[in-house]
Amino acid sequence: MEANSKAHAAAPPFMQRAPRRAVSPRILTDRSFRAAMGLTAFFAVWQALTSLGVIDAFLLPSPAAVAGAMWDMALDGSLWVHLGASLQRVAVGFALACVVGMALGLMCGWWRGVADFVRPVVEALRPIPPLAWIPITILWFGLGDAASYFLVFLGAVFPAFVATYTAVRGLDRNQMNAALCLGATPWQLFTDVLIPASLPIILPGLRIALGVGWMCVVTAELIAAQTGLGYLIQQSRMLFQINNVVAGMVAIGLVGFAMSAVLERIERRVNAWAPSERN
Amino acid sequence: MAANTALKTPAPPPGTPQAQPADIQIDIRNLGKVYGGTSSDTMVVALDGVDLRIRRGEFISLLGPSGCGKSTLLGIVAGFQSASSGTLLQNGRPIVKPDPSRTVVFQDYALFGWMTVQQNVEFGLKAKGMAKKERAEIARSLIDMVRLTGFEEKYPHQISGGMKQRAAIARALAPDPDILLMDEPFGALDAQTRVLLQEEIARISSEAGKTVIFVTHGIDEAVFLADRVVVMSPRPGRVREEVTVPLPRPRTAEMRSDPWFVSTVNDLWETLKPEWQKGE
């Protein structure tokens, strides 16, 4: 301790604040507090830049103006209609992607032969961005929900597949053998061993898949829908309502952030036993 | 555990061609295992002409340097992999797949990390379709036997390596197997914990009256625990010699200083030294 105080005496001025920080270490080390601080700072800088005139308010409205626009849309209900439409689309597309991606990943992970056939196809389709699928999607499904479902599905199915495949491939051979020699039925092997052992890798993959799906739904709505946050942005642009455009963007960001935070919570609970989730 | 007594008394295999003494439980004849391709330069002979008969209730140590195929042999007896040649019988019937009459304790524990100690031990009982209350009771008595009482609700990552292996032993004993297969079970533990667990396994195996096949590369451990030490030699893996241990059971710590024990361990070390050096 004495060596410490000597070090402080000799330390440059900015380091001498360290003892004072020790008085309230809890709040400063609290992770959600830090997250709130980061966001607040971001909006504060943005507000300062716009209200000082560094950035033309026509090019980027101030956070206050955006909040006002959002508030108005919340009051007249249009925000909720668009948000609801987007959420419903991402839910359907994501659910489809989970079913297909996980089933395929499971089969490829379990049977080498299946993987040899399926993986090249998947790996060749995976690099095609959802945006490039839009023309053919409209051709197939027209303008409407189905097109959005499909685009969300395309965005989310690959991360879901890769995560499941990786998880099943990486299963501990000895754990499987242990279960088998203890007399596990195929069903018990699946529900009590394979699934829980895979979740630490599958769940983060699904979180990424949902994030991609959320981006895809907005992309789809920019072009191929009559409702949704993407449509709101597109429509506001045509009406030169820049405040509403940015309000739509902010809504997308906040909802995506919230979805990811909720899923991370769930992950931590479910995977509390897994090495990577400890500490 | 009464439900399992049927497994303990071997139905004399009706009309089996091999005439064998009734107390031979595992009969390994001319067993071979070859890995890899068909050409002679790509294939590896892991086991060659292994002959071994194991009596009911016998404690066998499979001793040898790494690469001698002792773990492969255990995996084949467990039913995890199949032999390339030869015959392998349990109570006169061929072993084709894993079965709860032969449970395994692994070097890396292979506990289910998402289950508590209690749930891990109950796994094999659940597989049998046993009612919840009954299996909880059996699991508790086994957890008591391996001295883990108080840790039932802990997860594997919350307990030490030695405790994990105790839990894994309780889990392997739960289905009341005829044969306990242990694959270098104390290899990952520190020296002190290893000695303590050796004494525990000496006690437990006498109490439970199981046939045990114990794979190890520790000479003193092999001699301390076994009724018979089967020494294997590498490339290709085969049985090199067998040493019958006359010490009474259950084994206790003071037997480590028994003159016979000390000289046998030394003799084994002298005979095995060249092979160990070759394997390094």
Short mmCIF file of all heavy atoms in Angstrom, two decimals, chain B residues 168-218:
data_model
loop_
_atom_site.label_atom_id
_atom_site.label_comp_id
_atom_site.label_asym_id
_atom_site.label_seq_id
_atom_site.Cartn_x
_atom_site.Cartn_y
_atom_site.Cartn_z
N ALA B 168 -18.24 -38.93 -11.36
CA ALA B 168 -18.30 -39.77 -12.55
C ALA B 168 -18.34 -41.25 -12.16
O ALA B 168 -18.99 -42.06 -12.82
CB ALA B 168 -17.09 -39.49 -13.44
N ILE B 169 -17.64 -41.60 -11.07
CA ILE B 169 -17.67 -42.99 -10.61
C ILE B 169 -19.07 -43.35 -10.11
O ILE B 169 -19.62 -44.40 -10.44
CB ILE B 169 -16.60 -43.21 -9.50
CG1 ILE B 169 -15.20 -43.11 -10.11
CG2 ILE B 169 -16.79 -44.56 -8.82
CD1 ILE B 169 -14.08 -42.98 -9.10
N ALA B 170 -19.67 -42.43 -9.36
CA ALA B 170 -21.04 -42.68 -8.88
C ALA B 170 -21.99 -42.82 -10.06
O ALA B 170 -22.88 -43.69 -10.07
CB ALA B 170 -21.49 -41.53 -7.98
N ARG B 171 -21.81 -41.98 -11.08
CA ARG B 171 -22.67 -42.04 -12.25
C ARG B 171 -22.53 -43.39 -12.96
O ARG B 171 -23.50 -43.99 -13.40
CB ARG B 171 -22.32 -40.91 -13.23
CG ARG B 171 -23.19 -40.89 -14.46
CD ARG B 171 -22.81 -39.78 -15.41
NE ARG B 171 -21.49 -39.98 -16.01
CZ ARG B 171 -20.99 -39.21 -16.98
NH1 ARG B 171 -21.68 -38.18 -17.42
NH2 ARG B 171 -19.79 -39.46 -17.48
N ALA B 172 -21.26 -43.88 -13.02
CA ALA B 172 -21.04 -45.15 -13.70
C ALA B 172 -21.59 -46.33 -12.90
O ALA B 172 -21.99 -47.34 -13.47
CB ALA B 172 -19.54 -45.34 -13.96
N LEU B 173 -21.63 -46.19 -11.57
CA LEU B 173 -22.14 -47.28 -10.75
C LEU B 173 -23.66 -47.31 -10.71
O LEU B 173 -24.26 -48.34 -10.39
CB LEU B 173 -21.60 -47.16 -9.32
CG LEU B 173 -20.11 -47.49 -9.12
CD1 LEU B 173 -19.68 -47.14 -7.71
CD2 LEU B 173 -19.85 -48.97 -9.41
N ALA B 174 -24.30 -46.17 -11.04
CA ALA B 174 -25.74 -46.05 -10.86
C ALA B 174 -26.56 -47.12 -11.60
O ALA B 174 -27.47 -47.69 -11.01
CB ALA B 174 -26.20 -44.65 -11.26
N PRO B 175 -26.26 -47.44 -12.85
CA PRO B 175 -27.08 -48.47 -13.51
C PRO B 175 -26.78 -49.87 -13.00
O PRO B 175 -27.28 -50.84 -13.56
CB PRO B 175 -26.70 -48.34 -14.99
CG PRO B 175 -25.89 -47.13 -15.11
CD PRO B 175 -25.27 -46.88 -13.79
N ASP B 176 -25.99 -50.00 -11.93
CA ASP B 176 -25.62 -51.29 -11.36
C ASP B 176 -25.01 -52.20 -12.43
O ASP B 176 -25.52 -53.29 -12.69
CB ASP B 176 -26.84 -51.96 -10.71
CG ASP B 176 -26.39 -53.06 -9.74
OD1 ASP B 176 -25.19 -53.08 -9.41
OD2 ASP B 176 -27.22 -53.88 -9.36
N PRO B 177 -23.90 -51.76 -13.03
CA PRO B 177 -23.30 -52.55 -14.11
C PRO B 177 -22.64 -53.81 -13.56
O PRO B 177 -22.34 -53.89 -12.37
CB PRO B 177 -22.23 -51.60 -14.67
CG PRO B 177 -21.83 -50.78 -13.48
CD PRO B 177 -23.09 -50.58 -12.68
N ASP B 178 -22.41 -54.77 -14.44
CA ASP B 178 -21.62 -55.94 -14.06
C ASP B 178 -20.15 -55.59 -14.06
O ASP B 178 -19.37 -56.10 -13.27
CB ASP B 178 -21.84 -57.08 -15.07
CG ASP B 178 -23.26 -57.58 -15.04
OD1 ASP B 178 -23.98 -57.19 -14.10
OD2 ASP B 178 -23.65 -58.33 -15.94
N ILE B 179 -19.80 -54.74 -15.02
CA ILE B 179 -18.38 -54.44 -15.26
C ILE B 179 -18.18 -52.94 -15.28
O ILE B 179 -18.93 -52.20 -15.94
CB ILE B 179 -17.93 -55.04 -16.61
CG1 ILE B 179 -18.20 -56.54 -16.63
CG2 ILE B 179 -16.46 -54.75 -16.87
CD1 ILE B 179 -18.31 -57.12 -18.01
N LEU B 180 -17.16 -52.49 -14.56
CA LEU B 180 -16.82 -51.08 -14.55
C LEU B 180 -15.52 -50.91 -15.35
O LEU B 180 -14.52 -51.56 -15.05
CB LEU B 180 -16.63 -50.62 -13.10
CG LEU B 180 -16.56 -49.13 -12.83
CD1 LEU B 180 -17.83 -48.43 -13.28
CD2 LEU B 180 -16.32 -48.88 -11.34
N LEU B 181 -15.58 -50.08 -16.37
CA LEU B 181 -14.41 -49.86 -17.21
C LEU B 181 -13.85 -48.48 -16.89
O LEU B 181 -14.54 -47.48 -17.00
CB LEU B 181 -14.81 -49.93 -18.69
CG LEU B 181 -15.53 -51.21 -19.11
CD1 LEU B 181 -16.08 -51.08 -20.53
CD2 LEU B 181 -14.60 -52.41 -19.02
N MET B 182 -12.58 -48.44 -16.50
CA MET B 182 -12.00 -47.15 -16.10
C MET B 182 -10.80 -46.85 -16.99
O MET B 182 -9.83 -47.59 -17.01
CB MET B 182 -11.60 -47.20 -14.62
CG MET B 182 -12.76 -47.65 -13.73
SD MET B 182 -12.38 -47.59 -11.97
CE MET B 182 -12.76 -45.90 -11.60
N ASP B 183 -10.91 -45.73 -17.71
CA ASP B 183 -9.88 -45.38 -18.69
C ASP B 183 -8.96 -44.29 -18.14
O ASP B 183 -9.27 -43.11 -18.25
CB ASP B 183 -10.56 -44.91 -19.99
CG ASP B 183 -9.58 -44.81 -21.13
OD1 ASP B 183 -8.39 -45.11 -20.93
OD2 ASP B 183 -10.01 -44.42 -22.23
N GLU B 184 -7.86 -44.69 -17.57
CA GLU B 184 -6.93 -43.76 -16.91
C GLU B 184 -7.68 -42.72 -16.08
O GLU B 184 -7.51 -41.52 -16.27
CB GLU B 184 -6.04 -43.06 -17.94
CG GLU B 184 -5.26 -44.05 -18.77
CD GLU B 184 -4.15 -43.39 -19.60
OE1 GLU B 184 -3.64 -42.36 -19.18
OE2 GLU B 184 -3.83 -43.93 -20.68
N PRO B 185 -8.50 -43.19 -15.15
CA PRO B 185 -9.43 -42.26 -14.49
C PRO B 185 -8.74 -41.21 -13.64
O PRO B 185 -9.30 -40.15 -13.40
CB PRO B 185 -10.29 -43.19 -13.62
CG PRO B 185 -9.43 -44.39 -13.39
CD PRO B 185 -8.62 -44.56 -14.64
N PHE B 186 -7.51 -41.49 -13.18
CA PHE B 186 -6.87 -40.52 -12.29
C PHE B 186 -5.74 -39.78 -12.99
O PHE B 186 -4.96 -39.08 -12.35
CB PHE B 186 -6.34 -41.24 -11.03
CG PHE B 186 -7.39 -42.08 -10.34
CD1 PHE B 186 -7.06 -43.28 -9.73
CD2 PHE B 186 -8.72 -41.68 -10.33
CE1 PHE B 186 -8.03 -44.05 -9.10
CE2 PHE B 186 -9.69 -42.45 -9.72
CZ PHE B 186 -9.35 -43.65 -9.10
N GLY B 187 -5.67 -39.94 -14.31
CA GLY B 187 -4.57 -39.35 -15.07
C GLY B 187 -4.52 -37.85 -15.01
O GLY B 187 -3.45 -37.25 -15.13
N ALA B 188 -5.68 -37.21 -14.84
CA ALA B 188 -5.70 -35.75 -14.88
C ALA B 188 -5.65 -35.13 -13.48
O ALA B 188 -5.81 -33.93 -13.33
CB ALA B 188 -6.96 -35.27 -15.61
N LEU B 189 -5.42 -35.97 -12.48
CA LEU B 189 -5.47 -35.45 -11.11
C LEU B 189 -4.06 -35.26 -10.55
O LEU B 189 -3.12 -35.90 -10.99
CB LEU B 189 -6.25 -36.43 -10.22
CG LEU B 189 -7.67 -36.72 -10.67
CD1 LEU B 189 -8.29 -37.80 -9.80
CD2 LEU B 189 -8.53 -35.46 -10.63
N ASP B 190 -3.96 -34.40 -9.54
CA ASP B 190 -2.65 -34.22 -8.91
C ASP B 190 -2.30 -35.46 -8.08
O ASP B 190 -3.16 -36.27 -7.75
CB ASP B 190 -2.64 -32.95 -8.06
CG ASP B 190 -3.61 -33.04 -6.90
OD1 ASP B 190 -3.28 -33.67 -5.89
OD2 ASP B 190 -4.71 -32.49 -7.03
N ALA B 191 -1.01 -35.60 -7.76
CA ALA B 191 -0.50 -36.84 -7.17
C ALA B 191 -1.21 -37.21 -5.86
O ALA B 191 -1.55 -38.37 -5.64
CB ALA B 191 1.00 -36.70 -6.94
N GLN B 192 -1.48 -36.23 -5.01
CA GLN B 192 -2.09 -36.52 -3.72
C GLN B 192 -3.53 -37.00 -3.89
O GLN B 192 -3.94 -38.01 -3.31
CB GLN B 192 -2.08 -35.27 -2.82
CG GLN B 192 -0.70 -34.87 -2.34
CD GLN B 192 0.12 -34.17 -3.42
OE1 GLN B 192 -0.38 -33.87 -4.50
NE2 GLN B 192 1.39 -33.93 -3.15
N THR B 193 -4.28 -36.26 -4.73
CA THR B 193 -5.66 -36.66 -4.99
C THR B 193 -5.71 -38.05 -5.59
O THR B 193 -6.59 -38.85 -5.27
CB THR B 193 -6.32 -35.64 -5.96
OG1 THR B 193 -6.10 -34.34 -5.46
CG2 THR B 193 -7.79 -35.90 -6.08
N ARG B 194 -4.73 -38.34 -6.44
CA ARG B 194 -4.69 -39.64 -7.10
C ARG B 194 -4.57 -40.76 -6.06
O ARG B 194 -5.29 -41.74 -6.09
CB ARG B 194 -3.51 -39.67 -8.08
CG ARG B 194 -3.65 -40.74 -9.13
CD ARG B 194 -2.45 -40.74 -10.06
NE ARG B 194 -2.19 -39.41 -10.60
CZ ARG B 194 -0.99 -38.95 -10.91
NH1 ARG B 194 0.08 -39.70 -10.75
NH2 ARG B 194 -0.84 -37.74 -11.41
N VAL B 195 -3.63 -40.58 -5.11
CA VAL B 195 -3.44 -41.60 -4.09
C VAL B 195 -4.72 -41.80 -3.27
O VAL B 195 -5.15 -42.93 -3.01
CB VAL B 195 -2.25 -41.21 -3.18
CG1 VAL B 195 -2.22 -42.09 -1.94
CG2 VAL B 195 -0.95 -41.32 -3.94
N LEU B 196 -5.35 -40.69 -2.91
CA LEU B 196 -6.59 -40.79 -2.13
C LEU B 196 -7.67 -41.52 -2.92
O LEU B 196 -8.35 -42.39 -2.39
CB LEU B 196 -7.08 -39.38 -1.74
CG LEU B 196 -6.23 -38.66 -0.70
CD1 LEU B 196 -6.75 -37.25 -0.50
CD2 LEU B 196 -6.27 -39.44 0.61
N LEU B 197 -7.80 -41.20 -4.19
CA LEU B 197 -8.85 -41.82 -4.99
C LEU B 197 -8.54 -43.29 -5.27
O LEU B 197 -9.45 -44.10 -5.39
CB LEU B 197 -9.06 -41.06 -6.30
CG LEU B 197 -10.09 -39.93 -6.20
CD1 LEU B 197 -10.27 -39.25 -7.54
CD2 LEU B 197 -11.44 -40.44 -5.71
N GLN B 198 -7.26 -43.64 -5.33
CA GLN B 198 -6.91 -45.05 -5.49
C GLN B 198 -7.44 -45.85 -4.32
O GLN B 198 -7.99 -46.94 -4.48
CB GLN B 198 -5.38 -45.22 -5.59
CG GLN B 198 -4.81 -44.82 -6.93
CD GLN B 198 -3.31 -44.60 -6.87
OE1 GLN B 198 -2.67 -44.89 -5.87
NE2 GLN B 198 -2.76 -44.08 -7.94
N GLU B 199 -7.25 -45.29 -3.12
CA GLU B 199 -7.75 -46.00 -1.93
C GLU B 199 -9.27 -46.06 -1.93
O GLU B 199 -9.86 -47.07 -1.54
CB GLU B 199 -7.20 -45.34 -0.67
CG GLU B 199 -5.76 -45.77 -0.41
CD GLU B 199 -4.92 -44.76 0.35
OE1 GLU B 199 -5.49 -43.97 1.13
OE2 GLU B 199 -3.69 -44.74 0.14
N GLU B 200 -9.88 -44.96 -2.41
CA GLU B 200 -11.34 -44.96 -2.51
C GLU B 200 -11.84 -46.03 -3.47
O GLU B 200 -12.79 -46.75 -3.18
CB GLU B 200 -11.82 -43.59 -3.04
CG GLU B 200 -11.63 -42.47 -2.07
CD GLU B 200 -12.75 -42.41 -1.05
OE1 GLU B 200 -13.90 -42.17 -1.46
OE2 GLU B 200 -12.47 -42.65 0.14
N ILE B 201 -11.17 -46.13 -4.61
CA ILE B 201 -11.65 -47.08 -5.61
C ILE B 201 -11.40 -48.50 -5.13
O ILE B 201 -12.18 -49.42 -5.39
CB ILE B 201 -11.02 -46.79 -7.00
CG1 ILE B 201 -11.99 -47.19 -8.12
CG2 ILE B 201 -9.76 -47.58 -7.26
CD1 ILE B 201 -13.25 -46.46 -8.19
N ALA B 202 -10.32 -48.70 -4.34
CA ALA B 202 -10.08 -50.01 -3.74
C ALA B 202 -11.24 -50.39 -2.82
O ALA B 202 -11.74 -51.51 -2.84
CB ALA B 202 -8.76 -50.00 -2.97
N ARG B 203 -11.67 -49.42 -2.03
CA ARG B 203 -12.79 -49.64 -1.11
C ARG B 203 -14.09 -49.87 -1.87
O ARG B 203 -14.80 -50.86 -1.64
CB ARG B 203 -12.93 -48.42 -0.18
CG ARG B 203 -14.14 -48.42 0.71
CD ARG B 203 -14.21 -47.16 1.58
NE ARG B 203 -14.44 -45.94 0.81
CZ ARG B 203 -15.66 -45.49 0.47
NH1 ARG B 203 -16.73 -46.17 0.81
NH2 ARG B 203 -15.81 -44.39 -0.23
N ILE B 204 -14.36 -48.94 -2.82
CA ILE B 204 -15.64 -49.00 -3.53
C ILE B 204 -15.77 -50.30 -4.33
O ILE B 204 -16.81 -50.94 -4.33
CB ILE B 204 -15.80 -47.77 -4.44
CG1 ILE B 204 -16.01 -46.52 -3.58
CG2 ILE B 204 -16.97 -47.94 -5.40
CD1 ILE B 204 -15.86 -45.23 -4.35
N SER B 205 -14.67 -50.70 -4.99
CA SER B 205 -14.78 -51.89 -5.84
C SER B 205 -15.00 -53.14 -4.98
O SER B 205 -15.70 -54.05 -5.38
CB SER B 205 -13.53 -52.03 -6.71
OG SER B 205 -12.43 -52.39 -5.93
N SER B 206 -14.41 -53.18 -3.78
CA SER B 206 -14.68 -54.32 -2.91
C SER B 206 -16.11 -54.29 -2.41
O SER B 206 -16.79 -55.30 -2.36
CB SER B 206 -13.75 -54.33 -1.70
OG SER B 206 -12.44 -54.08 -2.09
N GLU B 207 -16.57 -53.08 -2.05
CA GLU B 207 -17.94 -52.94 -1.55
C GLU B 207 -18.95 -53.30 -2.60
O GLU B 207 -19.93 -54.00 -2.35
CB GLU B 207 -18.19 -51.48 -1.11
CG GLU B 207 -17.92 -51.21 0.35
CD GLU B 207 -18.10 -49.73 0.68
OE1 GLU B 207 -19.05 -49.10 0.16
OE2 GLU B 207 -17.27 -49.21 1.45
N ALA B 208 -18.74 -52.79 -3.81
CA ALA B 208 -19.74 -52.97 -4.86
C ALA B 208 -19.62 -54.33 -5.53
O ALA B 208 -20.56 -54.79 -6.17
CB ALA B 208 -19.61 -51.86 -5.91
N GLY B 209 -18.47 -54.96 -5.38
CA GLY B 209 -18.30 -56.30 -5.95
C GLY B 209 -18.41 -56.35 -7.46
O GLY B 209 -19.00 -57.26 -8.03
N LYS B 210 -17.86 -55.34 -8.11
CA LYS B 210 -17.93 -55.31 -9.57
C LYS B 210 -16.66 -55.89 -10.18
O LYS B 210 -15.59 -55.86 -9.56
CB LYS B 210 -18.02 -53.85 -10.06
CG LYS B 210 -19.13 -53.05 -9.45
CD LYS B 210 -20.47 -53.47 -9.99
CE LYS B 210 -21.58 -52.60 -9.43
NZ LYS B 210 -22.87 -53.32 -9.45
N THR B 211 -16.80 -56.37 -11.40
CA THR B 211 -15.63 -56.65 -12.20
C THR B 211 -15.11 -55.30 -12.69
O THR B 211 -15.91 -54.48 -13.13
CB THR B 211 -16.00 -57.52 -13.41
OG1 THR B 211 -16.69 -58.67 -12.95
CG2 THR B 211 -14.78 -57.92 -14.20
N VAL B 212 -13.80 -55.09 -12.56
CA VAL B 212 -13.26 -53.78 -12.97
C VAL B 212 -12.12 -54.00 -13.95
O VAL B 212 -11.26 -54.84 -13.73
CB VAL B 212 -12.75 -52.98 -11.75
CG1 VAL B 212 -12.25 -51.60 -12.19
CG2 VAL B 212 -13.84 -52.83 -10.70
N ILE B 213 -12.15 -53.24 -15.04
CA ILE B 213 -10.98 -53.16 -15.92
C ILE B 213 -10.46 -51.74 -15.82
O ILE B 213 -11.18 -50.78 -16.11
CB ILE B 213 -11.32 -53.50 -17.38
CG1 ILE B 213 -11.99 -54.88 -17.45
CG2 ILE B 213 -10.05 -53.48 -18.23
CD1 ILE B 213 -12.35 -55.30 -18.86
N PHE B 214 -9.23 -51.62 -15.35
CA PHE B 214 -8.67 -50.33 -14.99
C PHE B 214 -7.44 -50.07 -15.87
O PHE B 214 -6.42 -50.73 -15.72
CB PHE B 214 -8.28 -50.38 -13.51
CG PHE B 214 -7.85 -49.08 -12.91
CD1 PHE B 214 -8.74 -48.30 -12.20
CD2 PHE B 214 -6.54 -48.64 -13.04
CE1 PHE B 214 -8.33 -47.11 -11.61
CE2 PHE B 214 -6.13 -47.45 -12.47
CZ PHE B 214 -7.04 -46.68 -11.75
N VAL B 215 -7.58 -49.13 -16.79
CA VAL B 215 -6.48 -48.81 -17.70
C VAL B 215 -5.59 -47.75 -17.05
O VAL B 215 -6.10 -46.74 -16.54
CB VAL B 215 -7.02 -48.30 -19.05
CG1 VAL B 215 -5.92 -47.64 -19.85
CG2 VAL B 215 -7.64 -49.44 -19.83
N THR B 216 -4.30 -47.98 -17.06
CA THR B 216 -3.40 -47.01 -16.44
C THR B 216 -2.00 -47.15 -17.01
O THR B 216 -1.65 -48.18 -17.57
CB THR B 216 -3.34 -47.19 -14.91
OG1 THR B 216 -2.43 -46.24 -14.36
CG2 THR B 216 -2.88 -48.59 -14.54
N HIS B 217 -1.19 -46.08 -16.86
CA HIS B 217 0.22 -46.24 -17.13
C HIS B 217 1.03 -46.07 -15.85
O HIS B 217 2.25 -45.96 -15.88
CB HIS B 217 0.72 -45.32 -18.25
CG HIS B 217 0.34 -43.89 -18.06
ND1 HIS B 217 -0.46 -43.21 -18.93
CD2 HIS B 217 0.63 -43.02 -17.08
CE1 HIS B 217 -0.63 -41.98 -18.51
NE2 HIS B 217 0.02 -41.83 -17.39
N GLY B 218 0.32 -46.07 -14.72
CA GLY B 218 1.00 -45.99 -13.44
C GLY B 218 1.24 -47.38 -12.87
O GLY B 218 0.28 -48.09 -12.57
#
